[in-house]
């Protein structure tokens, strides 16, 4: 179901991790787990401060509603000593009042922060502490004992050729299991096992001075498995990029791909309405509750990401990171496939290419970094995003883990063919321009969806230039069109079909929110 891990550290109780399995989210479980963990911890250490540090903006509300006090410009949050949760919620504590009531607090916190900085400068993963979590699934298994012994050898500096061979075997075994059948059907325990192996391999490569290989193993663990309890794979990857690998940049003699011509309107096309940051009441009554699309302005341009996320900035931050790239015109094609490459390689191969006269890569097929959870892989990017207040309409207010972030980065001409998603979507344009064509799900029967399992949410029709001889029912289907500019936010209701074409090189972020599942339609039907 979930877990909450609290570590006793000096005179502090540090909230290390709160995790709820995806099928149990949106039920207030995270709050109950934290409450019980704090209660149990204070039975043993009644005079310890409870703290949580490095809280992303998206998680601040959860802890503040619980009673934590914002300290040092969100560097960390503190739950005061001895006060019950009920008292904390009814009293208006301030930082000054906290220090006055508990005069030793500043000294304790300063000592702890200094110790945290010292630990962060040590790049080793604290692998042994994860034994407890993984043993829940592999207790008594020779796989676990073998893997733990490898971790002990690495952390103790006693690794040898046998250590490397055993890790290669564990890596090959878990990778083969992850690649058997549909990814969603793989048991979570194998993702955790794979991540644990990746952590061991990353540490082994680091000890041997192979920093690129160490980063690659971190990314493989994050992409194919899960991060560990204290986000150590993501933190280790960040350390390697900042401290051990050179900063990358886009060549000054490179140029983006040419602008793609905007598709022409169809005879059935109409415009999507536009509002300047509507009130919550207007958004809910006129669009959310009626499942109507809307372009919202003056929202995305308030984000730190809007001013920071240039291609140069992302290459500098993420250039060495491994990302999944779609190869082919669109994912509904038979020859479509995915491959892994560094973000720098992707950008310089498919988006910014050398000008004439220089060595030109000119790939034979398009490449698109689409629907990738980059913010999970590189959590510091979360600090640049402010979740729209409108998302609260589709959320459990007791749980702040209800939103999913997907990043789309690609050259002009990149396409997501007409398809539908199971959750509401705020599609936010950060760089570049995109053409979107939306269709109400009540016209589903006229969209000629694919019949196979993987593409059954997608249409066979090229809605930019539909062949009405092959797809005659589409002739009278109304379409809602718009060119999304930098700073625009498009609300796509759950179940609404959407086709997206990049007109220029582009950086977009989609925020999925609300419950997945069927969508109520005007005619009383439901689609799933």
């Amino acid at each position: 179901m979930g877990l909450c891990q609290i570590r006793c550290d000096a005179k502090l109780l540090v909230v290390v991790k709160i995790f709820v399995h995806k099928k149990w989210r949106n039920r207030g479980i995270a709050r109950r787990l934290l409450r019980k963990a704090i209660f149990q911890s204070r039975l043993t250490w009644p005079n310890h401060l409870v703290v949580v540090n490095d809280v992303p903006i998206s998680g601040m509300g959860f802890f503040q509603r619980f009673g934590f006090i914002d300290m040092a410009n969100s560097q960390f949050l503190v739950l005061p000593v001895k006060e019950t949760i009920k008292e904390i919620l009814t009293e208006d504590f301030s930082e000054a009042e906290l220090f006055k009531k508990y005069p030793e607090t500043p000294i304790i916190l300063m000592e702890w922060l200094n110790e945290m900085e010292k630990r962060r400068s040590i790049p080793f993963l604290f692998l042994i502490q994860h034994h407890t979590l993984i043993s829940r699934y592999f207790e008594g298994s020779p796989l676990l004992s073998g893997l733990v012994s490898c971790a002990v050898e690495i952390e103790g500096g006693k690794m040898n050729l046998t250590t490397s061979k055993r890790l290669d075997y564990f890596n090959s075994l878990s990778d083969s299991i992850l690649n058997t059948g549909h990814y969603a059907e793989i048991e979570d325990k194998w993702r955790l096992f794979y991540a644990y192996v990746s952590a061991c391999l990353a540490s082994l490569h680091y000890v041997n001075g192979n920093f690129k290989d160490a980063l690659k193993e971190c990314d493989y663990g994050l992409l194919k498995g899960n991060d560990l309890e204290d986000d150590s794979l993501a933190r280790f990857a960040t350390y390697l990029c900042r401290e051990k690998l050179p900063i990358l940049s886009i060549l000054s003699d490179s140029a983006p791909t040419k602008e793609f011509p905007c598709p022409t309107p169809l005879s059935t096309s109409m415009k999507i309405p536009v509002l300047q940051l509507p009130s919550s009441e207007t958004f809910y009554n006129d669009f959310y509750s009626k499942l109507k699309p809307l372009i919202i302005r003056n929202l995305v341009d308030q984000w730190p990401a809007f001013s920071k996320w240039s291609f140069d900035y992302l290459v500098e931050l993420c250039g060495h990171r491994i990302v999944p790239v779609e190869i082919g015109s669109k994912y509904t094609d038979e020859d479509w496939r995915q491959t892994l490459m560094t973000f720098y390689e992707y950008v310089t191969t498919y988006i910014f290419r050398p000008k004439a006269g220089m060595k030109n890569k000119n790939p034979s097929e398009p490449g698109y970094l689409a629907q990738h959870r980059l913010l999970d892989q590189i959590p510091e990017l979360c600090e640049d995003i402010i979740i729209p207040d409108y998302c609260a309409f589709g959320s459990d207010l007791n749980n702040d883990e209800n939103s999913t972030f997907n990043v789309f980065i690609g050259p002009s001409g990149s396409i997501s063919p007409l398809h539908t998603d199971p959750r509401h979507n705020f599609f936010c344009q950060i760089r570049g321009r995109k053409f979107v064509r939306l269709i109400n799900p009540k016209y589903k029967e006229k969209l000629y969806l694919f019949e196979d399992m993987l593409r059954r949410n997608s249409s066979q029709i090229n809605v930019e230039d539909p062949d009405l001889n092959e797809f005659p029912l589409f002739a009278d289907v109304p379409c809602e069109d718009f060119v999304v500019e930098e700073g625009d936010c498009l609300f796509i209701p759950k179940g609404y079909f959407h086709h997206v074409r990049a007109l220029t090189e582009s950086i977009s972020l989609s925020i999925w929110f609300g419950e997945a599942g069927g969508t109520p339609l005007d005619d009383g039907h439901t689609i799933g």
Side-chain angles (χ1 to χ4, degrees):
M1 181 182 295
L3 65 89
C4 178
Q5 179 185 7
I6 294 181
R7 181 181 69 240
C8 180
D9 198 339
K11 296 182 180 180
L12 302 174
L13 296 173
V14 184
V15 179
V16 177
K17 182 75 172 181
I18 302 176
F19 172 78
V20 178
H21 190 280
K22 58 185 178 182
K23 72 177 182 179
W24 292 100
R25 291 176 185 172
N26 309 319
R27 304 185 186 187
I29 293 175
R31 172 178 285 268
R32 293 197 293 273
L33 283 172
L34 179 59
R35 187 187 299 269
K36 187 172 182 63
I38 290 175
F39 176 78
Q40 292 292 339
S41 299
R42 280 186 163 170
L43 289 177
T44 305
W45 299 284
N47 295 317
H48 282 41
L49 289 170
V50 180
V51 301
V52 55
N53 69 309
D54 293 334
V55 182
I57 293 175
S58 60
M60 290 289 290
F62 172 82
F63 288 103
Q64 287 176 330
R65 287 196 295 272
F66 198 90
F68 282 78
I69 297 172
D70 185 359
M71 309 285 287
N73 296 320
S74 304
Q75 189 175 8
F76 56 90
L77 301 169
V78 177
L79 189 67
V81 180
K82 297 181 181 177
E83 304 298 329
T84 67
I85 292 172
K86 182 178 179 180
E87 290 172 332
I88 291 298
L89 293 176
T90 55
E91 292 187 39
D92 184 18
F93 272 81
S94 68
E95 183 175 327
E97 289 169 333
L98 175 67
F99 287 173
K100 183 178 179 180
K101 195 166 186 178
Y102 309 108
E104 66 174 348
T105 297
I107 299 173
I108 295 173
L109 293 176
M110 187 58 66
E111 291 176 349
W112 178 67
L113 285 175
N114 290 336
E115 179 62 25
M116 289 297 294
E117 287 302 315
K118 187 185 299 182
R119 290 183 190 177
R120 286 174 180 170
S121 67
I122 303 173
F124 291 97
L125 297 165
F126 299 96
L127 300 172
I128 306 305
Q129 68 180 344
H130 304 296
H131 182 171
T132 302
L133 178 60
I134 199 170
S135 66
R136 296 177 186 175
Y137 302 109
F138 294 95
E139 185 66 47
S141 168
L143 289 176
L144 178 61
S145 58
L147 191 55
V148 170
S149 66
C150 288
V152 172
E153 290 167 7
I154 294 170
E155 290 199 321
K158 299 178 180 179
M159 60 282 182
N160 51 42
L161 185 60
T162 302
T163 308
S164 179
K165 287 183 177 180
R166 281 184 293 166
L167 286 177
D168 287 341
Y169 168 75
F170 293 140
N171 184 65
S172 176
L173 172 67
S174 54
D175 186 65
S176 65
I177 292 173
L178 294 181
N179 287 289
T180 302
H182 194 280
Y183 186 77
E185 298 174 354
I186 304 299
E187 292 182 83
D188 282 343
K189 70 176 186 180
W190 290 110
R191 295 193 182 94
L192 178 62
F193 185 83
Y194 183 87
Y196 196 106
V197 174
S198 298
C200 290
L201 286 169
S203 290
L204 182 61
H205 286 307
Y206 180 86
V207 170
N208 293 328
N210 301 323
F211 304 129
K212 283 189 176 181
D213 288 337
L215 178 61
K216 181 175 69 175
E217 293 299 340
C218 287
D219 279 331
Y220 281 171
L222 291 167
L223 293 173
K224 298 181 182 181
N226 293 322
D227 205 345
L228 304 183
E229 289 173 85
D230 58 352
D231 300 324
S232 53
L233 280 176
R235 291 192 293 105
F236 189 31
T238 297
Y239 169 84
L240 290 167
C241 288
R242 290 179 176 174
E243 304 295 335
K244 295 299 181 181
L245 296 172
I247 295 175
L248 300 174
S249 61
I250 301 172
L251 294 173
S252 59
D253 290 325
S254 297
T257 49
K258 293 182 179 180
E259 185 166 344
F260 193 89
C262 186
T264 56
L266 302 178
S267 60
T268 57
S269 289
M270 63 186 80
K271 288 289 186 181
I272 300 172
V274 182
L275 288 179
Q276 306 283 338
L277 204 60
S279 67
S280 295
E281 182 180 10
T282 297
F283 174 74
Y284 182 84
N285 291 333
D286 297 345
F287 298 95
Y288 179 84
S289 64
K290 296 179 180 179
L291 298 176
K292 290 185 176 181
L294 172 68
I295 296 288
I296 301 174
R297 289 189 168 148
N298 296 342
L299 175 66
V300 176
D301 54 9
Q302 306 299 316
W303 293 359
F306 188 71
S307 58
K308 291 171 63 176
W309 285 18
S310 64
F311 282 94
D312 287 308
Y313 173 78
L314 291 182
V315 165
E316 183 176 319
L317 181 69
C318 317
H320 292 287
R321 306 303 295 270
I322 302 283
V323 293
V325 176
E326 299 180 357
I327 304 297
S329 296
K330 52 186 183 296
Y331 70 81
T332 52
D333 290 348
E334 294 292 344
D335 59 351
W336 175 89
R337 62 192 185 280
Q338 280 190 314
T339 189
L340 297 175
M341 63 180 69
T342 67
F343 184 75
Y344 175 80
E345 182 183 359
Y346 167 65
V347 169
T348 56
T349 301
Y350 293 97
I351 303 178
F352 289 87
R353 300 174 186 168
K355 295 179 181 178
M358 298 183 65
K359 185 178 180 181
N360 203 331
K361 298 180 181 179
N362 279 331
S364 58
E365 297 176 282
Y368 193 17
L369 176 55
Q371 199 164 320
H372 175 44
R373 297 179 69 165
L374 187 66
L375 278 67
D376 289 346
Q377 184 182 0
I378 308 176
E380 54 262 47
L381 289 173
C382 293
E383 299 175 7
D384 299 334
I385 303 301
I386 302 173
I387 298 178
D389 292 339
Y390 308 122
C391 291
F393 293 128
S395 303
D396 176 354
L397 296 180
N398 292 319
N399 193 309
D400 292 319
E401 301 176 348
N402 196 40
S403 300
T404 299
F405 303 99
N406 289 305
V407 169
F408 298 77
I409 301 175
S412 63
S414 300
I415 184 173
S416 294
L418 189 69
H419 67 285
T420 183
D421 294 320
R423 301 176 70 191
H424 299 301
N425 182 2
F426 280 121
F427 186 82
C428 307
Q429 193 64 16
I430 298 174
R431 287 289 177 272
R433 304 166 64 237
K434 283 185 171 178
F435 168 82
V436 295
R437 176 160 285 164
L438 274 57
I439 297 176
N440 193 305
K442 68 183 179 181
Y443 299 105
K444 173 185 176 183
E445 301 304 324
K446 297 184 178 183
L447 297 182
Y448 299 89
L449 302 184
F450 286 95
E451 296 181 357
D452 58 279
M453 180 67 70
L454 294 178
R455 298 180 295 178
R456 63 180 182 177
N457 70 327
S458 303
S459 172
Q460 302 177 54
I461 306 170
N462 172 12
V463 295
E464 292 181 10
D465 184 20
D467 184 341
L468 298 182
N469 291 322
E470 185 176 1
F471 307 110
L473 295 179
F474 185 73
D476 61 351
V477 173
C479 299
E480 300 171 64
D481 297 354
F482 204 86
V483 173
V484 182
E485 306 282 353
E486 291 183 0
D488 285 347
C489 174
L490 168 62
F491 170 59
I492 305 175
K494 174 169 60 175
Y496 232 87
F497 286 85
H498 48 287
H499 166 96
V500 185
R501 169 79 75 173
L503 305 180
T504 66
E505 67 279 5
S506 175
I507 301 173
S508 312
L509 175 78
S510 71
I511 303 175
W512 282 10
F513 69 103
E515 292 292 330
T519 302
L521 304 178
D522 295 340
D523 60 4
H525 291 84
T526 297
I527 67 170

